[in-house]
Amino acid sequence: NTFKKYDLVHQRDEQNGILWKPPRNDDGTDNESVNDVFIRVRQAMSITETQYSGKTVVFISPDSDNLSILEAAIRAKQSGDPFLNSLRNHNRFFYSPGEVREVKLGPELDNNEDAPPPAQEQRFKRSVSQDDVRSTLGLD
């Protein structure tokens, strides 16, 4: 079961830190550490901020880890150990399949790392069509 594999990986992330990598897959998928994913997501954010400054941006991910690691980094208030602990425990920001969540950036916003994301029933969820995405991206 895929979700059981994720549970094991998330447990190891918490226990062994952000440099731990899961065992190699036999399907060709990379086995990345939390740190590897964070670097990749940070690079994507930097490019996105440069190219789409002032625009609303929608990130779509094939699994929850890219988004939960990004959210853990955004919510971390300090560098050093608090930041590393936030990344190591990124699974508390787990995204359900098909979930849409707004995460705002900016120094004036309270992105409290200790506050969990909204309860499942309080999260904004809806199906997003290709037309919705095209409209948001201004590709109409």
Side-chain angles (χ1 to χ4, degrees), residues 44-121:
M45 285 291 294
S46 177
I47 292 167
T48 302
E49 286 177 322
T50 300
Q51 292 182 347
Y52 302 102
S53 179
K55 306 273 185 188
T56 299
V57 177
V58 177
F59 284 98
I60 300 172
S61 177
D63 63 48
S64 175
D65 284 351
N66 296 311
L67 301 174
S68 65
I69 290 169
L70 173 61
E71 189 166 347
I74 289 169
R75 288 177 178 257
K77 295 222 181 252
Q78 301 173 2
S79 60
D81 287 342
F83 181 76
L84 297 177
N85 287 335
S86 183
L87 288 182
R88 185 173 64 214
N89 296 302
H90 69 90
N91 189 46
R92 70 190 184 283
F93 302 116
F94 177 81
Y95 283 71
S96 298
E99 179 178 348
V100 175
R101 188 183 310 165
E102 183 176 14
V103 179
K104 294 184 178 184
L105 300 175
E108 71 285 352
L109 301 170
D110 182 20
N111 287 325
N112 184 351
E113 71 176 293
D114 297 322
Q120 190 68 25
E121 59 275 359

